[in-house]
Amino acid sequence: MSIQTIENTQQLHEHIMALIVIEPRFLSIYEQFGMPSLRHNVGGFEQLMRAMVGQQLSVAASASIWQRLLDAALTNPQAIIKATDEDLRAQGLSKQKTRYIRSLVDHDIDFAALEILPDEEAIEVLTAVIGIGRWTAEIYLLFSLKRADVLAIDDLAIKVAAMALLGLTERPTPKQLKNLTQDWSPHRSAASLLLWSYYGLLRNQTAVPL
């Protein structure tokens, strides 16, 4: 099975056009918002660590702690192995987050190998790390591995926007949302980006994570 990625805005446009054929209600979002940003990043250990640091924190708090870790040169596996828990806690990491970061180091993920793993296998590797749930793994697939068919069904903004788009009377559960959007495959990454855009319009704010 070949791995589909979205490498540039032209490919994203093609996926959006194909998605609109399947689900015409996306057309109005696209017309209002235009082409969403791909928000690609280089991925790797530091990207995942930053995502873990930022979990359940405000943007400002996350940025502050991350900057302190950068200033202390504590964002790579070798430095973290040498550091004590007290060193990490001194930069603002909680006891729980320190445990998560230690688990990320211990798993020694082969990030190059992730590039060629099918989506579910890549998610399995990532979620083996304590502190990485499916949402974080899917976000990594979407923005770091550039995968073309990822709908972040655990994401609050996605659920709220899908509820409005599909005319649902209540917010769907992840399982319900997965079932409702199966037909959007293999264009679900485009759907994620458009739904985040739609949520931003609904809430008048930027909703795309990371």
Side-chain angles (χ1 to χ4, degrees):
M1 183 177 178
S2 61
I3 294 171
Q4 285 195 322
T5 59
I6 298 177
E7 300 290 337
N8 51 54
T9 53
Q10 176 59 38
Q11 291 179 1
L12 175 58
H13 180 263
E14 292 168 2
H15 277 273
I16 288 174
M17 292 299 103
L19 176 65
I20 288 170
V21 171
I22 298 168
E23 177 47 80
R25 283 174 284 195
F26 274 111
L27 178 59
S28 64
I29 298 175
Y30 183 61
E31 287 178 340
Q32 289 179 73
F33 191 82
M35 183 69 64
S37 170
L38 285 168
R39 298 287 183 108
H40 286 161
N41 57 58
V42 296
F45 179 90
E46 190 170 300
Q47 188 66 41
L48 258 186
M49 179 179 170
R50 184 170 188 175
M52 296 170 81
V53 168
Q55 288 173 354
Q56 298 179 318
L57 293 177
S58 69
V59 173
S62 173
S64 175
I65 294 171
W66 185 250
Q67 189 58 53
R68 288 164 67 179
L69 289 164
L70 284 173
D71 293 343
L74 288 173
T75 59
N76 66 80
Q78 296 75 23
I80 292 167
I81 289 169
K82 293 177 182 177
T84 65
D85 285 1
E86 289 70 27
D87 292 333
L88 296 171
R89 296 284 297 278
Q91 311 312 320
L93 287 181
S94 65
K95 183 177 180 180
Q96 184 181 54
K97 293 283 179 70
T98 298
R99 179 168 172 251
Y100 292 171
I101 301 307
R102 296 281 189 207
S103 180
L104 179 60
V105 172
D106 290 345
H107 277 80
D108 192 23
I109 294 171
D110 184 342
F111 288 99
L114 284 182
E115 299 276 353
I116 58 174
L117 285 181
D119 291 354
E120 286 301 322
E121 289 183 31
I123 288 172
E124 188 175 335
V125 169
L126 292 168
T127 54
V129 176
I130 298 170
I132 294 183
R134 188 174 181 93
W135 179 85
T136 302
E138 287 177 337
I139 295 303
Y140 188 86
L141 262 65
L142 185 60
F143 294 118
S144 299
L145 299 182
K146 308 175 185 177
R147 298 299 171 88
D149 196 30
V150 178
L151 186 72
I153 57 174
D154 291 310
D155 187 88
L156 175 62
I158 293 286
K159 288 186 281 190
V160 170
M163 175 183 166
L165 177 78
L166 299 174
L168 305 177
T169 56
E170 58 186 23
R171 191 182 303 162
T173 66
K175 183 177 180 181
Q176 289 169 336
L177 187 55
K178 182 179 180 180
N179 291 336
L180 287 167
T181 59
Q182 290 284 10
D183 290 346
W184 298 355
S185 181
H187 313 292
R188 288 178 291 190
S189 292
S192 287
L193 294 172
L194 287 171
L195 287 171
W196 274 314
S197 298
Y198 188 32
Y199 181 82
L201 290 171
L202 292 172
R203 294 292 181 266
N204 193 29
Q205 64 187 32
T206 301
V208 179
L210 296 187

